[in-house]
Amino acid sequence: MDDIFTQVREGNAFHVRVWLDNTENDLNQGDDHRFSLLHWAAREGRNNIVDMLIQRGARINATNMGDDTALHLAASHGHRDIALMLLHNKANINAVNEHGNTPLHYACFWGQDYVAEDFVNNGALVGIANKFDETPLDKAKLRLAEALRDRALQLGQDLQKIPFKDRSWLGYKTRSRDALLSRHTGIDIAQLNLSKPVTTTHSGELWRGQWQGNDIVAKILNVRECTTRNSRDFQEEFPRLRIFNNPNVLPVLACCNQPPNLVVISQFMPYGSLYNVLHGETGIVLDQNQTLRFAIDVARGMEFLHSMDPLIPNLLLTSKHVMIDEDLTARINMADYKFSFHEKGKLYNPAWMAPEALQRKPADINQRAADMWSFAMVMWELETREVPHSDLAAMEVGMKIAMEGLRINIPPGIASHLSRLIKICMNEEPGKRPKFDMIIPILEKLRQR
């Protein structure tokens, strides 16, 4: 089979679907010019593949090396249906590339009249100037320029020119990922440029570093004695953690299996964990909309993980195990997987665990139902900004939840719909808890209110 970029360009939807079904394939990777699969599908007018990629979680606003988004390419080639599809899925209509051009600049320059009109109707600003001090209206033919100016005035736009240097309102740009990241498995620890320690936890040391020119975090597992069997189990288990085809799952990129060092490598996340965002000082504005977005992201990641058969075991859901990407996407961290040989019988975050998970062996519990309880704890944490049972030691929390019925209190300030949802997800009978595909639509409706 030709490479995946060729398959997308040629519109081979069946081959693209088969490729996407392999969890180790990264749908957000880029080619040598950082064109993502979505860039190529939008450029070539492959409507069905664009829709497929969006449904699988392609990053809508990822940029190539010239800072073009998929919307820029759809605009320049006049693919109106694709442009509208991207806009419906939160494409940044005023995204600026390296030359200061927006998608509207492209639509005007190439004479894509209908696309340009759609853009203005959906909030494209006609006054944005590029590096050469040209607005989209300067790029358009006279008839189109007049029509767009009139429509912008009807919609209440201020037609005053917005200088190129004023870019503070654009937010972050997210480049498509280097394709090399998903092609490596086991590597030599000498290839890692580990620069400084991040933190030391019960499970191991976290180091910041670089690999293949990308910012990474290397987790050196805390293993008392690295036996031949441990090394073999590590090699067998880590490939399941390389999940590249879901935007709400942070994959393990590679590992170093060089006893006594067992190292798990993942992409560096600038904001750290959700726990850090909620209880530290990151500068992120946590309004209700962002809080619900985090909850939806986590739910979508868990829905995907629950679709796998067999389930990945030993992956506890807490705010500490959810990472926040540069575009404020929440992603479940596969590097926090607990290997079968690692810290046997030890529990460090019982406050997020379901009562039955603290009372029984893993083989005797409904893992999907237990995860739903943990998700409810994360929702409670998002709403209250509090650490559950923070006044008690971890061992005491575990004992009291399992044996004495200790539960969190839902304060009256939480919206009634969310309060009710948290209670449903924490039903004392595991079989009565909902599944993630049932609560995602509810969370999405709450976000639209």
Side-chain angles (χ1 to χ4, degrees):
M1 184 191 294
D2 290 333
D3 71 87
I4 187 59
F5 295 102
T6 300
Q7 299 293 345
V8 170
R9 285 196 294 270
E10 294 181 352
N12 297 326
F14 173 76
H15 292 301
V16 173
R17 184 177 292 108
V18 171
W19 187 89
L20 289 172
D21 285 340
N22 183 343
T23 60
E24 287 201 24
N25 288 330
D26 183 0
L27 86 166
N28 287 306
Q29 71 182 47
D31 61 13
D32 292 342
H33 298 283
R34 294 297 174 91
F35 276 68
S36 68
L37 303 180
L38 187 60
H39 278 101
W40 280 116
R43 183 183 187 276
E44 299 299 326
R46 309 301 183 187
N47 294 44
N48 56 341
I49 295 180
V50 168
D51 183 58
M52 189 191 311
L53 291 169
I54 290 173
Q55 295 303 318
R56 295 293 186 108
R59 289 186 161 187
I60 303 297
N61 293 308
T63 60
N64 61 16
M65 290 184 74
D67 283 341
D68 288 321
T69 65
L71 191 60
H72 280 91
L73 302 183
S76 62
H77 290 81
H79 300 310
R80 187 183 186 187
D81 290 345
I82 289 177
L84 291 173
M85 200 185 308
L86 292 168
L87 288 175
H88 180 70
N89 285 278
K90 307 296 189 296
N92 181 359
I93 199 166
N94 291 308
V96 173
N97 68 9
E98 64 178 354
H99 299 296
N101 291 318
T102 66
L104 183 58
H105 277 91
Y106 278 16
C108 289
F109 178 78
W110 292 107
Q112 311 294 356
D113 295 18
Y114 291 119
V115 175
E117 291 168 4
D118 288 340
F119 283 176
V120 173
N121 287 330
N122 281 278
L125 300 175
V126 300
I128 295 178
N130 62 17
K131 270 188 176 180
F132 310 102
D133 205 37
E134 299 167 319
T135 69
L137 300 184
D138 296 325
K139 293 284 191 180
K141 291 180 180 179
L142 182 60
R143 185 190 61 78
L144 176 61
E146 290 177 348
L148 295 180
R149 182 183 291 107
D150 291 345
R151 183 58 180 151
L153 286 170
Q154 290 174 9
L155 294 169
Q157 280 195 34
D158 181 353
L159 301 190
Q160 185 173 351
K161 187 177 289 186
I162 302 170
F164 173 71
K165 62 181 180 181
D166 180 19
R167 293 293 174 260
S168 59
W169 49 273
L170 283 174
Y172 289 97
K173 282 190 172 69
T174 303
R175 281 267 168 91
S176 57
R177 287 196 283 268
D178 185 343
L180 287 172
L181 289 178
S182 59
R183 295 177 185 165
H184 291 265
T185 51
I187 63 173
D188 189 335
I189 195 171
Q191 296 175 8
L192 302 179
N193 180 18
L194 301 182
S195 55
K196 60 180 180 180
V198 177
T199 186
T200 299
T201 69
H202 55 84
S203 61
E205 295 181 4
L206 267 63
W207 284 75
R208 179 89 181 268
Q210 277 219 332
W211 173 56
Q212 299 286 344
N214 296 278
D215 291 329
I216 56 100
V217 171
K219 181 178 182 179
I220 305 173
L221 296 188
N222 179 18
V223 182
R224 180 176 298 178
E225 180 184 4
C226 186
T227 64
T228 302
R229 180 172 180 175
N230 289 349
S231 176
R232 183 196 67 201
D233 290 346
F234 181 71
Q235 193 66 32
E236 288 179 355
E237 292 177 38
F238 105 88
R240 292 197 65 196
L241 311 178
R242 289 168 48 78
I243 298 174
F244 287 90
N245 66 349
N246 187 280
N248 301 120
V249 176
L250 182 65
V252 166
L253 301 177
C255 78
C256 299
N257 189 353
Q258 294 173 309
N261 292 316
L262 302 179
V263 186
V264 177
I265 300 158
S266 55
Q267 185 181 352
F268 172 71
M269 295 285 105
Y271 292 116
S273 68
L274 178 59
Y275 184 93
N276 183 52
V277 168
L278 291 174
H279 310 300
E281 295 183 6
T282 59
I284 295 176
V285 177
L286 283 171
D287 56 17
Q288 187 65 12
N289 182 64
Q290 185 58 60
T291 295
L292 284 169
R293 180 184 168 188
F294 283 152
I296 292 167
D297 284 348
V298 174
R300 286 174 176 163
M302 291 305 299
E303 178 191 25
F304 177 81
L305 293 175
H306 280 189
S307 72
M308 302 180 75
D309 188 19
L311 287 178
I312 297 176
N314 306 325
L315 192 68
L316 174 62
L317 175 60
T318 78
S319 60
K320 297 177 182 179
H321 300 159
V322 174
M323 306 302 287
I324 306 302
D325 209 336
E326 60 186 352
D327 62 355
L328 299 187
T329 299
R331 308 179 69 190
I332 297 164
N333 188 13
M334 303 310 292
D336 285 326
Y337 165 83
K338 187 176 177 182
F339 287 89
S340 60
F341 57 85
H342 194 211
E343 301 180 308
K344 283 188 174 181
K346 295 181 180 179
L347 299 175
Y348 292 96
N349 295 290
W352 285 266
M353 296 178 68
E356 70 273 13
L358 293 166
Q359 296 164 342
R360 308 173 196 163
K361 296 177 181 178
D364 297 333
I365 66 170
N366 179 337
Q367 186 59 54
R368 290 179 173 85
D371 287 342
M372 183 54 70
W373 178 288
S374 299
F375 177 72
M377 294 301 302
V378 172
M379 280 200 294
W380 177 89
E381 195 178 355
L382 282 165
E383 288 299 310
T384 63
R385 309 288 196 273
E386 295 179 14
V387 179
H389 310 305
S390 59
D391 56 330
L392 301 173
M395 182 178 293
E396 192 175 3
V397 170
M399 290 293 291
K400 285 181 176 290
I401 291 175
M403 309 301 293
E404 300 177 21
L406 176 67
R407 303 290 185 265
I408 47 98
N409 292 316
I410 301 177
I414 295 180
S416 59
H417 294 290
L418 269 173
S419 176
R420 194 176 305 121
L421 182 59
I422 291 171
K423 290 175 182 176
I424 290 170
C425 295
M426 295 182 70
N427 196 300
E428 293 291 335
E429 294 187 41
K432 292 186 177 180
R433 295 171 202 159
K435 293 181 170 60
F436 282 100
D437 60 355
M438 298 165 64
I439 66 168
I440 290 172
I442 298 172
L443 290 168
E444 289 174 337
K445 277 189 177 180
L446 290 175
R447 192 182 173 205
Q448 292 167 5
R449 283 175 178 268

